C-alpha cells in the first residue's frame, strides 16, 4: 500500500507517493505515474476529487481529509472485495485517523510556536532555557558562554524605516550571527531586538560578536550600519538553572547599556545579589512608605556673615524597624527606579510646605524651604499640576519655596527642562542646582535655565581646606554666581576653617554639620527659637 498526495503546480496536478509499504516501498517520494498500474492514478484522483473512500474489486483507496491541501489518499492492493460492514468500519476509521493527524499537525505547530521564533525560525527564549538547562547538566558547560546581543537603537530604526524594514534587518542579523560564528553555536532570538549566542568562549566573546557588526547590513539595497550591546555569562561558574543564567545575562546586558552603547559586560555574581537585594529593598521601602514610617529631617541653611538661619533643606529619612537608617543615596535611586518617587516626592513636598506654613505662622516669616526633586519626578507629565495642587492645598507661599535639581538632570533634554523650569518659575518658586560642579553644565546653558541658586557640592567644600591649589572650584563657583547674578550656597560645611574660607571668598550662604545637623520638625523649631 502507499499514501499519495496531490501536488498542484502551474498546469495541473500530479500525485506523489509520501509513504509506502510492501511492493510499493521503493516508490516513496516518486510520482504515482511511475507505478505501472492503470488502476492507481485513476482511483486516486477519483478518491481525492470526491473526497471519499473508494472500494474497488481488488483494491481500495481511503481518503483522509486534511486542511489546506494536506488531504491525502491511501491505495491498498487488497486482492479481495470488502463487504458492506468492513467498508463502513473503514469509513469511521478514516475520519478518526484524519482527526488524529490534524491534531498531530496542530500539536506540531503549537510546538513550533512555543519553542521557535515565528520571524527568524530561530529557537525562542523558552527553547533556549531548555537548551541552557541541558548544557548546564552536561560536562560541556565548562567552556560555554551565554551572550545576549541587543541591537542598539533598533526601536528608532523600526520607527523611522518601518516594521518591514526592521524585520528584514533582524533576519539579516540572525543570518550573520548564525553563519559567521560556526555551526556548533546556538543562536536564539529571545526578544524583539535581542539575540542570544551560546557556545564556546573562543567564539562567544565580545570581540568576535562585536566584529560581526563592523560591516554594514544591506537591506532593500540600503546599507545600514548598526551596533550591538552585549551581556555575557560564563556558565562554568554559574549556579542555578538555565532561566537563572538568562536572567544573569540580562542583568549584564542592562549594565552594559548603562555604561555605553556598543559596549559589553560580563556578569559577576555580586551583580545578581545586588539586584536581588534591590528588589527586597524596593518592597521594604514601599511598605515603609505606606505604613507612614518615612520622615523628613530639616537641615538649616545660614547666612555666612550673620550666621543667622535663612531656611532649611528637607531631607528624606527612612528608619527601619531595627532602628537603623537607610541612607537616601541608597533608597532614592530605588524609589526612582520603581516609580515610587512620584508619590514619595509629592509627599515630601507636601510635608515641607506644611512645615513652611507652620513656621511662617510662628513668626519666621523669611524662612525658605528647599526641597529635592528627582529627575524622574521632573519628567513626569503630572509634575506641574502636582506642584500647583500642593501649593493650593497647603497654602504655602511659593516665593519661599526652592526646588533643588541635580546638575546631571539640568543637562538632560534641555528643551523640556527649560519649558518646565519656566512654568515652575511662573508660580514664584525658585530653582537651585544641587551638587553644582559635579556635572557638566555649560555656562550659556545655565543662563537659559534661569536658575536662582547654585549649590556648591560638598566635595568641593572639603577640598578648599585640604587642597594646596591656589584657586579652588568652590572659589570659581562663587565667582560664577556673582557674574551670572545667582545666589550661591555651600553645602557640607563641617568646620570653622571651611566656613571662614568660604566667607572670605564671598560665598553668602552655607549649610552643613558645623551649623546644624538635619533635625526633626520639633528640633528645628527649638533651634530657631534659641537663636
Ligand atoms: P543633597 O541634596 O546634596 O543633600 C545634602 C546631603 O548632605 C544630605 O545627605 C545631608 O545630610 C548631607 N550633609 C549635610 N551637611 C553635611 C556635612 O557637614 N557633612 C557631610 N559629610 N554631609 C552633610 P542625605 O540626607 O544623606 O541625602 C543624600 C541625598 O539624597 C541628597 O543629597 C539628595 O540628593 C537625596 N535626597 C534626600 N532627600 C530627598 C528627597 O526628598 N527627594 C529626593 N529626590 N532626593 C532626596
Ligand atoms: Mg539637596
Ligand atoms: Mg547636594
Amino acid at each position: 500500500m502507499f499514501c499519495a498526495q496531490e501536488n498542484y503546480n502551474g498546469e495541473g496536478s500530479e500525485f506523489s507517493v509520501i509513504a509506502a509499504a510492501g511492493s510499493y516501498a521503493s516508490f516513496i517520494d516518486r510520482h504515482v505515474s511511475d507505478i505501472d498500474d492503470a488502476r492507481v492514478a485513476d482511483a486516486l484522483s477519483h478518491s481525492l476529487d470526491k473526497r471519499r473512500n473508494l472500494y474497488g474489486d481488488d483494491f481500495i483507496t481511503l481518503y483522509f481529509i486534511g486542511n489546506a491541501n494536506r488531504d491525502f489518499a491511501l491505495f491498498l492492493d487488497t486482492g479481495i472485495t470488502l463487504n458492506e460492514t468492513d467498508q463502513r468500519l473503514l469509513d469511521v476509521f478514516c475520519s478518526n485517523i484524519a482527526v488524529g493527524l490534524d491534531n498531530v499537525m496542530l500539536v506540531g505547530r503549537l510546538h513550533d510556536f512555543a519553542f521557535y521564533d515565528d520571524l527568524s525560525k530561530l529557537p525562542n527564549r523558552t527553547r533556549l532555557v531548555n537548551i541552557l538547562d541541558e548544557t548546564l547538566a552536561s560536562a560541556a558547560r565548562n567552556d560555554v558562554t551565554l551572550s545576549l546581543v541587543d541591537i542598539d537603537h533598533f526601536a528608532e530604526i523600526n520607527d523611522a524605516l518601518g516594521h518591514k524594514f526592521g524585520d528584514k534587518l533582524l533576519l539579516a542579523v540572525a543570518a550573520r550571527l548564525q553563519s559567521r560564528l560556526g555551526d556548533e553555536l546556538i543562536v536564539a532570538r529571545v526578544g524583539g531586538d535581542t539575540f542570544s549566542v551560546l557556545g564556546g568562549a573562543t567564539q562567544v566573546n565580545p570581540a568576535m560578536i562585536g566584529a560581526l557588526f563592523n560591516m554594514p547590513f544591506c537591506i532593500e539595497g540600503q546599507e545600514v550600519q548598526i551596533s550591538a550591546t552585549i551581556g555575557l555569562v560564563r556558565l562554568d561558574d554559574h549556579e542555578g538553572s538555565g532561566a537563572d543564567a538568562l536572567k544573569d545575562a540580562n542583568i549584564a546586558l542592562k549594565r552594559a547599556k548603562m555604561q555605553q552603547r556598543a559596549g559589553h559586560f560580563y556578569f559577576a555574581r555580586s551583580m545578581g545579589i545586588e539586584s536581588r537585594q534591590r528588589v527586597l529593598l524596593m518592597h521594604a521601602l514601599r511598605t515603609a512608605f505606606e505604613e507612614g514610617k518615612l520622615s523628613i529631617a530639616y537641615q538649616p541653611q545660614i547666612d555666612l556673615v550673620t550666621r543667622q538661619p535663612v531656611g532649611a533643606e528637607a531631607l528624606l529619612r527612612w528608619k527601619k524597624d531595627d532602628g537603623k537608617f537607610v541612607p537616601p543615596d541608597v533608597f532614592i535611586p530605588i524609589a526612582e527606579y520603581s516609580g515610587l518617587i512620584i508619590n514619595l516626592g509629592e509627599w515630601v513636598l507636601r510635608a515641607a510646605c506644611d512645615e513652611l506654613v507652620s513656621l511662617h505662622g510662628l513668626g519666621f516669616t523669611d524662612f525658605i524651604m528647599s526641597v529635592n526633586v528627582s529627575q524622574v519626578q521632573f519628567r513626569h507629565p503630572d509634575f506641574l499640576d502636582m506642584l500647583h495642587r500642593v501649593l493650593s492645598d497647603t497654602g504655602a507661599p511659593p516665593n519661599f519655596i526652592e526646588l533643588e535639581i541635580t546638575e546631571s538632570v539640568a543637562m538632560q533634554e534641555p528643551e523640556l527642562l527649560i519649558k518646565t523650569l519656566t512654568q515652575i518659575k511662573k508660580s514664584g518658586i525658585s530653582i537651585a542646582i544641587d551638587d553644582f560642579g559635579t556635572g557638566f553644565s555649560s555656562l550659556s546653558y545655565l543662563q537659559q535655565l534661569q536658575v536662582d541658586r547654585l549649590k556648591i557640592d560638598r566635595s568641593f567644600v572639603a577640598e578648599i581646606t585640604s587642597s594646596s591649589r591656589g584657586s579652588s572650584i568652590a572659589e570659581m563657583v562663587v565667582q560664577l554666581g556673582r557674574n551670572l547674578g545667582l545666589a550661591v550656597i555651600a553645602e557640607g560645611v563641617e568646620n570653622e576653617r571651611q566656613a571662614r574660607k568660604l566667607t572670605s571668598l564671598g560665598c553668602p550662604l552655607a549649610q552643613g554639620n558645623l551649623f546644624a545637623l538635619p533635625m526633626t520638625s520639633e528640633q528645628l523649631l527649638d533651634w530657631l527659637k534659641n537663636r
Side-chain angles (χ1 to χ4, degrees), residues 160-181:
L161 300 172
H163 286 228
K164 252 204 194 133
F165 191 93
D167 282 355
K168 284 185 182 166
L169 181 59
L170 287 173
L171 287 174
V173 172
R176 198 176 285 184
L177 285 173
Q178 269 188 308
S179 65
R180 301 276 177 87
L181 286 171

mmCIF file with all atom_site columns, all heavy atoms in Angstrom, residues 160-181:
data_model
loop_
_atom_site.group_PDB
_atom_site.id
_atom_site.type_symbol
_atom_site.label_atom_id
_atom_site.label_alt_id
_atom_site.label_comp_id
_atom_site.label_asym_id
_atom_site.label_entity_id
_atom_site.label_seq_id
_atom_site.pdbx_PDB_ins_code
_atom_site.Cartn_x
_atom_site.Cartn_y
_atom_site.Cartn_z
_atom_site.occupancy
_atom_site.B_iso_or_equiv
_atom_site.pdbx_formal_charge
_atom_site.auth_seq_id
_atom_site.auth_comp_id
_atom_site.auth_asym_id
_atom_site.auth_atom_id
_atom_site.pdbx_PDB_model_num
ATOM 1   N N   . ALA A 1 160 ? 11.583 54.714 12.158 1.00 0.00 ? 160 ALA A N   1
ATOM 2   C CA  . ALA A 1 160 ? 11.948 55.588 11.043 1.00 0.00 ? 160 ALA A CA  1
ATOM 3   C C   . ALA A 1 160 ? 11.752 54.897 9.704  1.00 0.00 ? 160 ALA A C   1
ATOM 4   O O   . ALA A 1 160 ? 11.276 55.501 8.744  1.00 0.00 ? 160 ALA A O   1
ATOM 5   C CB  . ALA A 1 160 ? 13.394 56.043 11.196 1.00 0.00 ? 160 ALA A CB  1
ATOM 6   N N   . LEU A 1 161 ? 12.105 53.616 9.609  1.00 0.00 ? 161 LEU A N   1
ATOM 7   C CA  . LEU A 1 161 ? 12.128 52.962 8.302  1.00 0.00 ? 161 LEU A CA  1
ATOM 8   C C   . LEU A 1 161 ? 11.021 51.920 8.124  1.00 0.00 ? 161 LEU A C   1
ATOM 9   O O   . LEU A 1 161 ? 10.917 51.311 7.077  1.00 0.00 ? 161 LEU A O   1
ATOM 10  C CB  . LEU A 1 161 ? 13.503 52.329 8.069  1.00 0.00 ? 161 LEU A CB  1
ATOM 11  C CG  . LEU A 1 161 ? 14.650 53.351 8.102  1.00 0.00 ? 161 LEU A CG  1
ATOM 12  C CD1 . LEU A 1 161 ? 15.995 52.644 8.063  1.00 0.00 ? 161 LEU A CD1 1
ATOM 13  C CD2 . LEU A 1 161 ? 14.543 54.327 6.939  1.00 0.00 ? 161 LEU A CD2 1
ATOM 14  N N   . GLY A 1 162 ? 10.232 51.727 9.143  1.00 0.00 ? 162 GLY A N   1
ATOM 15  C CA  . GLY A 1 162 ? 9.099  50.821 9.012  1.00 0.00 ? 162 GLY A CA  1
ATOM 16  C C   . GLY A 1 162 ? 9.383  49.429 9.545  1.00 0.00 ? 162 GLY A C   1
ATOM 17  O O   . GLY A 1 162 ? 10.528 48.990 9.592  1.00 0.00 ? 162 GLY A O   1
ATOM 18  N N   . HIS A 1 163 ? 8.299  48.745 9.930  1.00 0.00 ? 163 HIS A N   1
ATOM 19  C CA  . HIS A 1 163 ? 8.457  47.440 10.562 1.00 0.00 ? 163 HIS A CA  1
ATOM 20  C C   . HIS A 1 163 ? 8.956  46.383 9.598  1.00 0.00 ? 163 HIS A C   1
ATOM 21  O O   . HIS A 1 163 ? 9.688  45.490 9.979  1.00 0.00 ? 163 HIS A O   1
ATOM 22  C CB  . HIS A 1 163 ? 7.129  47.008 11.181 1.00 0.00 ? 163 HIS A CB  1
ATOM 23  C CG  . HIS A 1 163 ? 6.822  47.777 12.422 1.00 0.00 ? 163 HIS A CG  1
ATOM 24  N ND1 . HIS A 1 163 ? 6.417  47.199 13.586 1.00 0.00 ? 163 HIS A ND1 1
ATOM 25  C CD2 . HIS A 1 163 ? 6.905  49.115 12.678 1.00 0.00 ? 163 HIS A CD2 1
ATOM 26  C CE1 . HIS A 1 163 ? 6.248  48.124 14.505 1.00 0.00 ? 163 HIS A CE1 1
ATOM 27  N NE2 . HIS A 1 163 ? 6.527  49.292 13.972 1.00 0.00 ? 163 HIS A NE2 1
ATOM 28  N N   . LYS A 1 164 ? 8.564  46.505 8.329  1.00 0.00 ? 164 LYS A N   1
ATOM 29  C CA  . LYS A 1 164 ? 9.019  45.530 7.336  1.00 0.00 ? 164 LYS A CA  1
ATOM 30  C C   . LYS A 1 164 ? 10.534 45.580 7.218  1.00 0.00 ? 164 LYS A C   1
ATOM 31  O O   . LYS A 1 164 ? 11.205 44.562 7.185  1.00 0.00 ? 164 LYS A O   1
ATOM 32  C CB  . LYS A 1 164 ? 8.404  45.868 5.967  1.00 0.00 ? 164 LYS A CB  1
ATOM 33  C CG  . LYS A 1 164 ? 7.335  44.900 5.532  1.00 0.00 ? 164 LYS A CG  1
ATOM 34  C CD  . LYS A 1 164 ? 7.222  44.945 4.019  1.00 0.00 ? 164 LYS A CD  1
ATOM 35  C CE  . LYS A 1 164 ? 5.965  44.277 3.553  1.00 0.00 ? 164 LYS A CE  1
ATOM 36  N NZ  . LYS A 1 164 ? 5.252  45.104 2.562  1.00 0.00 ? 164 LYS A NZ  1
ATOM 37  N N   . PHE A 1 165 ? 11.028 46.808 7.163  1.00 0.00 ? 165 PHE A N   1
ATOM 38  C CA  . PHE A 1 165 ? 12.461 47.019 7.086  1.00 0.00 ? 165 PHE A CA  1
ATOM 39  C C   . PHE A 1 165 ? 13.128 46.458 8.347  1.00 0.00 ? 165 PHE A C   1
ATOM 40  O O   . PHE A 1 165 ? 14.134 45.766 8.284  1.00 0.00 ? 165 PHE A O   1
ATOM 41  C CB  . PHE A 1 165 ? 12.746 48.518 6.961  1.00 0.00 ? 165 PHE A CB  1
ATOM 42  C CG  . PHE A 1 165 ? 14.165 48.837 6.605  1.00 0.00 ? 165 PHE A CG  1
ATOM 43  C CD1 . PHE A 1 165 ? 14.548 49.002 5.290  1.00 0.00 ? 165 PHE A CD1 1
ATOM 44  C CD2 . PHE A 1 165 ? 15.112 48.978 7.601  1.00 0.00 ? 165 PHE A CD2 1
ATOM 45  C CE1 . PHE A 1 165 ? 15.859 49.292 4.960  1.00 0.00 ? 165 PHE A CE1 1
ATOM 46  C CE2 . PHE A 1 165 ? 16.436 49.260 7.291  1.00 0.00 ? 165 PHE A CE2 1
ATOM 47  C CZ  . PHE A 1 165 ? 16.810 49.423 5.965  1.00 0.00 ? 165 PHE A CZ  1
ATOM 48  N N   . GLY A 1 166 ? 12.510 46.756 9.488  1.00 0.00 ? 166 GLY A N   1
ATOM 49  C CA  . GLY A 1 166 ? 13.030 46.270 10.763 1.00 0.00 ? 166 GLY A CA  1
ATOM 50  C C   . GLY A 1 166 ? 13.107 44.747 10.782 1.00 0.00 ? 166 GLY A C   1
ATOM 51  O O   . GLY A 1 166 ? 14.102 44.172 11.215 1.00 0.00 ? 166 GLY A O   1
ATOM 52  N N   . ASP A 1 167 ? 12.049 44.097 10.278 1.00 0.00 ? 167 ASP A N   1
ATOM 53  C CA  . ASP A 1 167 ? 12.031 42.632 10.224 1.00 0.00 ? 167 ASP A CA  1
ATOM 54  C C   . ASP A 1 167 ? 13.183 42.100 9.379  1.00 0.00 ? 167 ASP A C   1
ATOM 55  O O   . ASP A 1 167 ? 13.850 41.134 9.738  1.00 0.00 ? 167 ASP A O   1
ATOM 56  C CB  . ASP A 1 167 ? 10.707 42.134 9.630  1.00 0.00 ? 167 ASP A CB  1
ATOM 57  C CG  . ASP A 1 167 ? 9.573  42.197 10.660 1.00 0.00 ? 167 ASP A CG  1
ATOM 58  O OD1 . ASP A 1 167 ? 9.867  42.532 11.824 1.00 0.00 ? 167 ASP A OD1 1
ATOM 59  O OD2 . ASP A 1 167 ? 8.427  41.914 10.294 1.00 0.00 ? 167 ASP A OD2 1
ATOM 60  N N   . LYS A 1 168 ? 13.388 42.752 8.238  1.00 0.00 ? 168 LYS A N   1
ATOM 61  C CA  . LYS A 1 168 ? 14.469 42.290 7.350  1.00 0.00 ? 168 LYS A CA  1
ATOM 62  C C   . LYS A 1 168 ? 15.828 42.469 8.014  1.00 0.00 ? 168 LYS A C   1
ATOM 63  O O   . LYS A 1 168 ? 16.714 41.629 7.859  1.00 0.00 ? 168 LYS A O   1
ATOM 64  C CB  . LYS A 1 168 ? 14.429 43.068 6.029  1.00 0.00 ? 168 LYS A CB  1
ATOM 65  C CG  . LYS A 1 168 ? 13.310 42.587 5.136  1.00 0.00 ? 168 LYS A CG  1
ATOM 66  C CD  . LYS A 1 168 ? 13.345 43.261 3.785  1.00 0.00 ? 168 LYS A CD  1
ATOM 67  C CE  . LYS A 1 168 ? 12.168 42.773 2.945  1.00 0.00 ? 168 LYS A CE  1
ATOM 68  N NZ  . LYS A 1 168 ? 11.958 43.620 1.777  1.00 0.00 ? 168 LYS A NZ  1
ATOM 69  N N   . LEU A 1 169 ? 15.948 43.564 8.731  1.00 0.00 ? 169 LEU A N   1
ATOM 70  C CA  . LEU A 1 169 ? 17.212 43.801 9.426  1.00 0.00 ? 169 LEU A CA  1
ATOM 71  C C   . LEU A 1 169 ? 17.454 42.717 10.482 1.00 0.00 ? 169 LEU A C   1
ATOM 72  O O   . LEU A 1 169 ? 18.548 42.175 10.608 1.00 0.00 ? 169 LEU A O   1
ATOM 73  C CB  . LEU A 1 169 ? 17.195 45.193 10.074 1.00 0.00 ? 169 LEU A CB  1
ATOM 74  C CG  . LEU A 1 169 ? 18.464 45.603 10.819 1.00 0.00 ? 169 LEU A CG  1
ATOM 75  C CD1 . LEU A 1 169 ? 19.663 45.594 9.884  1.00 0.00 ? 169 LEU A CD1 1
ATOM 76  C CD2 . LEU A 1 169 ? 18.306 46.991 11.435 1.00 0.00 ? 169 LEU A CD2 1
ATOM 77  N N   . LEU A 1 170 ? 16.380 42.376 11.194 1.00 0.00 ? 170 LEU A N   1
ATOM 78  C CA  . LEU A 1 170 ? 16.507 41.325 12.213 1.00 0.00 ? 170 LEU A CA  1
ATOM 79  C C   . LEU A 1 170 ? 16.929 40.004 11.570 1.00 0.00 ? 170 LEU A C   1
ATOM 80  O O   . LEU A 1 170 ? 17.778 39.286 12.098 1.00 0.00 ? 170 LEU A O   1
ATOM 81  C CB  . LEU A 1 170 ? 15.179 41.144 12.952 1.00 0.00 ? 170 LEU A CB  1
ATOM 82  C CG  . LEU A 1 170 ? 14.805 42.261 13.923 1.00 0.00 ? 170 LEU A CG  1
ATOM 83  C CD1 . LEU A 1 170 ? 13.395 42.046 14.455 1.00 0.00 ? 170 LEU A CD1 1
ATOM 84  C CD2 . LEU A 1 170 ? 15.792 42.333 15.074 1.00 0.00 ? 170 LEU A CD2 1
ATOM 85  N N   . LEU A 1 171 ? 16.320 39.707 10.415 1.00 0.00 ? 171 LEU A N   1
ATOM 86  C CA  . LEU A 1 171 ? 16.665 38.466 9.722  1.00 0.00 ? 171 LEU A CA  1
ATOM 87  C C   . LEU A 1 171 ? 18.121 38.475 9.284  1.00 0.00 ? 171 LEU A C   1
ATOM 88  O O   . LEU A 1 171 ? 18.822 37.464 9.376  1.00 0.00 ? 171 LEU A O   1
ATOM 89  C CB  . LEU A 1 171 ? 15.750 38.264 8.510  1.00 0.00 ? 171 LEU A CB  1
ATOM 90  C CG  . LEU A 1 171 ? 14.312 37.857 8.858  1.00 0.00 ? 171 LEU A CG  1
ATOM 91  C CD1 . LEU A 1 171 ? 13.440 37.817 7.611  1.00 0.00 ? 171 LEU A CD1 1
ATOM 92  C CD2 . LEU A 1 171 ? 14.302 36.488 9.550  1.00 0.00 ? 171 LEU A CD2 1
ATOM 93  N N   . ALA A 1 172 ? 18.577 39.639 8.825  1.00 0.00 ? 172 ALA A N   1
ATOM 94  C CA  . ALA A 1 172 ? 19.963 39.754 8.372  1.00 0.00 ? 172 ALA A CA  1
ATOM 95  C C   . ALA A 1 172 ? 20.923 39.556 9.541  1.00 0.00 ? 172 ALA A C   1
ATOM 96  O O   . ALA A 1 172 ? 21.947 38.884 9.422  1.00 0.00 ? 172 ALA A O   1
ATOM 97  C CB  . ALA A 1 172 ? 20.193 41.104 7.712  1.00 0.00 ? 172 ALA A CB  1
ATOM 98  N N   . VAL A 1 173 ? 20.565 40.142 10.676 1.00 0.00 ? 173 VAL A N   1
ATOM 99  C CA  . VAL A 1 173 ? 21.411 39.983 11.865 1.00 0.00 ? 173 VAL A CA  1
ATOM 100 C C   . VAL A 1 173 ? 21.428 38.512 12.283 1.00 0.00 ? 173 VAL A C   1
ATOM 101 O O   . VAL A 1 173 ? 22.483 37.934 12.563 1.00 0.00 ? 173 VAL A O   1
ATOM 102 C CB  . VAL A 1 173 ? 20.920 40.872 13.029 1.00 0.00 ? 173 VAL A CB  1
ATOM 103 C CG1 . VAL A 1 173 ? 21.672 40.548 14.310 1.00 0.00 ? 173 VAL A CG1 1
ATOM 104 C CG2 . VAL A 1 173 ? 21.091 42.341 12.671 1.00 0.00 ? 173 VAL A CG2 1
ATOM 105 N N   . ALA A 1 174 ? 20.244 37.889 12.284 1.00 0.00 ? 174 ALA A N   1
ATOM 106 C CA  . ALA A 1 174 ? 20.150 36.478 12.660 1.00 0.00 ? 174 ALA A CA  1
ATOM 107 C C   . ALA A 1 174 ? 21.027 35.633 11.746 1.00 0.00 ? 174 ALA A C   1
ATOM 108 O O   . ALA A 1 174 ? 21.776 34.772 12.200 1.00 0.00 ? 174 ALA A O   1
ATOM 109 C CB  . ALA A 1 174 ? 18.693 36.015 12.575 1.00 0.00 ? 174 ALA A CB  1
ATOM 110 N N   . ALA A 1 175 ? 20.950 35.905 10.438 1.00 0.00 ? 175 ALA A N   1
ATOM 111 C CA  . ALA A 1 175 ? 21.719 35.121 9.474  1.00 0.00 ? 175 ALA A CA  1
ATOM 112 C C   . ALA A 1 175 ? 23.214 35.306 9.704  1.00 0.00 ? 175 ALA A C   1
ATOM 113 O O   . ALA A 1 175 ? 23.986 34.342 9.664  1.00 0.00 ? 175 ALA A O   1
ATOM 114 C CB  . ALA A 1 175 ? 21.349 35.545 8.053  1.00 0.00 ? 175 ALA A CB  1
ATOM 115 N N   . ARG A 1 176 ? 23.610 36.544 9.981  1.00 0.00 ? 176 ARG A N   1
ATOM 116 C CA  . ARG A 1 176 ? 25.038 36.781 10.167 1.00 0.00 ? 176 ARG A CA  1
ATOM 117 C C   . ARG A 1 176 ? 25.540 36.109 11.450 1.00 0.00 ? 176 ARG A C   1
ATOM 118 O O   . ARG A 1 176 ? 26.609 35.518 11.478 1.00 0.00 ? 176 ARG A O   1
ATOM 119 C CB  . ARG A 1 176 ? 25.330 38.280 10.193 1.00 0.00 ? 176 ARG A CB  1
ATOM 120 C CG  . ARG A 1 176 ? 26.799 38.557 9.954  1.00 0.00 ? 176 ARG A CG  1
ATOM 121 C CD  . ARG A 1 176 ? 27.120 40.017 9.868  1.00 0.00 ? 176 ARG A CD  1
ATOM 122 N NE  . ARG A 1 176 ? 26.717 40.632 8.607  1.00 0.00 ? 176 ARG A NE  1
ATOM 123 C CZ  . ARG A 1 176 ? 26.987 41.907 8.316  1.00 0.00 ? 176 ARG A CZ  1
ATOM 124 N NH1 . ARG A 1 176 ? 27.640 42.654 9.179  1.00 0.00 ? 176 ARG A NH1 1
ATOM 125 N NH2 . ARG A 1 176 ? 26.602 42.424 7.160  1.00 0.00 ? 176 ARG A NH2 1
ATOM 126 N N   . LEU A 1 177 ? 24.753 36.202 12.494 1.00 0.00 ? 177 LEU A N   1
ATOM 127 C CA  . LEU A 1 177 ? 25.150 35.557 13.749 1.00 0.00 ? 177 LEU A CA  1
ATOM 128 C C   . LEU A 1 177 ? 25.304 34.056 13.538 1.00 0.00 ? 177 LEU A C   1
ATOM 129 O O   . LEU A 1 177 ? 26.202 33.420 14.073 1.00 0.00 ? 177 LEU A O   1
ATOM 130 C CB  . LEU A 1 177 ? 24.107 35.812 14.832 1.00 0.00 ? 177 LEU A CB  1
ATOM 131 C CG  . LEU A 1 177 ? 24.073 37.207 15.454 1.00 0.00 ? 177 LEU A CG  1
ATOM 132 C CD1 . LEU A 1 177 ? 22.877 37.337 16.387 1.00 0.00 ? 177 LEU A CD1 1
ATOM 133 C CD2 . LEU A 1 177 ? 25.353 37.513 16.214 1.00 0.00 ? 177 LEU A CD2 1
ATOM 134 N N   . GLN A 1 178 ? 24.399 33.492 12.729 1.00 0.00 ? 178 GLN A N   1
ATOM 135 C CA  . GLN A 1 178 ? 24.420 32.047 12.509 1.00 0.00 ? 178 GLN A CA  1
ATOM 136 C C   . GLN A 1 178 ? 25.562 31.610 11.613 1.00 0.00 ? 178 GLN A C   1
ATOM 137 O O   . GLN A 1 178 ? 26.185 30.592 11.849 1.00 0.00 ? 178 GLN A O   1
ATOM 138 C CB  . GLN A 1 178 ? 23.111 31.616 11.854 1.00 0.00 ? 178 GLN A CB  1
ATOM 139 C CG  . GLN A 1 178 ? 22.056 31.235 12.861 1.00 0.00 ? 178 GLN A CG  1
ATOM 140 C CD  . GLN A 1 178 ? 20.865 30.640 12.161 1.00 0.00 ? 178 GLN A CD  1
ATOM 141 O OE1 . GLN A 1 178 ? 20.327 31.233 11.220 1.00 0.00 ? 178 GLN A OE1 1
ATOM 142 N NE2 . GLN A 1 178 ? 20.450 29.479 12.607 1.00 0.00 ? 178 GLN A NE2 1
ATOM 143 N N   . SER A 1 179 ? 25.822 32.401 10.561 1.00 0.00 ? 179 SER A N   1
ATOM 144 C CA  . SER A 1 179 ? 26.741 31.919 9.541  1.00 0.00 ? 179 SER A CA  1
ATOM 145 C C   . SER A 1 179 ? 28.197 32.206 9.867  1.00 0.00 ? 179 SER A C   1
ATOM 146 O O   . SER A 1 179 ? 29.079 31.515 9.413  1.00 0.00 ? 179 SER A O   1
ATOM 147 C CB  . SER A 1 179 ? 26.390 32.542 8.189  1.00 0.00 ? 179 SER A CB  1
ATOM 148 O OG  . SER A 1 179 ? 26.597 33.935 8.268  1.00 0.00 ? 179 SER A OG  1
ATOM 149 N N   . ARG A 1 180 ? 28.455 33.222 10.666 1.00 0.00 ? 180 ARG A N   1
ATOM 150 C CA  . ARG A 1 180 ? 29.843 33.636 10.812 1.00 0.00 ? 180 ARG A CA  1
ATOM 151 C C   . ARG A 1 180 ? 30.550 33.089 12.044 1.00 0.00 ? 180 ARG A C   1
ATOM 152 O O   . ARG A 1 180 ? 31.739 33.221 12.191 1.00 0.00 ? 180 ARG A O   1
ATOM 153 C CB  . ARG A 1 180 ? 29.938 35.171 10.870 1.00 0.00 ? 180 ARG A CB  1
ATOM 154 C CG  . ARG A 1 180 ? 29.396 35.877 9.659  1.00 0.00 ? 180 ARG A CG  1
ATOM 155 C CD  . ARG A 1 180 ? 30.454 35.943 8.555  1.00 0.00 ? 180 ARG A CD  1
ATOM 156 N NE  . ARG A 1 180 ? 29.879 36.571 7.368  1.00 0.00 ? 180 ARG A NE  1
ATOM 157 C CZ  . ARG A 1 180 ? 29.874 37.876 7.175  1.00 0.00 ? 180 ARG A CZ  1
ATOM 158 N NH1 . ARG A 1 180 ? 30.406 38.683 8.054  1.00 0.00 ? 180 ARG A NH1 1
ATOM 159 N NH2 . ARG A 1 180 ? 29.327 38.378 6.093  1.00 0.00 ? 180 ARG A NH2 1
ATOM 160 N N   . LEU A 1 181 ? 29.785 32.547 12.953 1.00 0.00 ? 181 LEU A N   1
ATOM 161 C CA  . LEU A 1 181 ? 30.427 32.170 14.209 1.00 0.00 ? 181 LEU A CA  1
ATOM 162 C C   . LEU A 1 181 ? 30.706 30.674 14.332 1.00 0.00 ? 181 LEU A C   1
ATOM 163 O O   . LEU A 1 181 ? 31.387 30.245 15.241 1.00 0.00 ? 181 LEU A O   1
ATOM 164 C CB  . LEU A 1 181 ? 29.577 32.631 15.404 1.00 0.00 ? 181 LEU A CB  1
ATOM 165 C CG  . LEU A 1 181 ? 29.598 34.131 15.688 1.00 0.00 ? 181 LEU A CG  1
ATOM 166 C CD1 . LEU A 1 181 ? 28.552 34.472 16.735 1.00 0.00 ? 181 LEU A CD1 1
ATOM 167 C CD2 . LEU A 1 181 ? 30.958 34.596 16.164 1.00 0.00 ? 181 LEU A CD2 1
#
